[in-house]
Amino acid sequence: MKKLIQLLLFCTVLAVLPLQNTKAEINARKFFSIGLNLNNGTSDNGSIYLYGPTPVSAYFGPGGSSYGPLTAGTYTVIIYTSAPGSRTFRFNGQAITTSSGSATFNNVSITSTAFASVN
């Protein structure tokens, strides 16, 4: 009888261990989120819009801003600035130079922290 109780206790511990790993994985995901870092190299204000799994609509000033967490996926990103003249907008390595005051990046895949800038 004593051996049977020990065996039952041992099996119960083995059954509970995988549940502990699942909780640890869920908690770890909270700390490793995807975000967006934006650097504004102009002295003017602007705005950024992300259309995708996690929509973002935000204003930014000179310097920089961070946004998140974001869900991994495909986004359309529009960056506006009130700065006059020709500006270079960058998003995850893509660059658009224009004097129209805005740039649109279509079908952008975000799988890790993204980087944007206006200069």
Side-chain angles (χ1 to χ4, degrees), residues 63-85:
S65 300
S66 294
Y67 309 97
L70 301 175
T71 302
T74 302
Y75 289 81
T76 296
V77 180
I78 303 172
I79 306 173
Y80 294 93
T81 183
S82 59

Side-chain angles (χ1 to χ4, degrees), residues 7 9-10 12 17-18 25 28 31-34 40 43 48-49 52 60 65 80 91-92 95 98-99 101-102 112:
L7 182 60
L9 184 59
F10 179 73
T12 303
L17 284 177
E25 290 169 3
F31 296 109
F32 299 104
S33 63
I34 298 171
N40 180 9
S43 59
I48 187 165
Y49 301 93
F60 58 85
S65 300
Y80 294 93
F91 192 88
N92 271 3
T98 181
S99 58
S102 70
S112 60

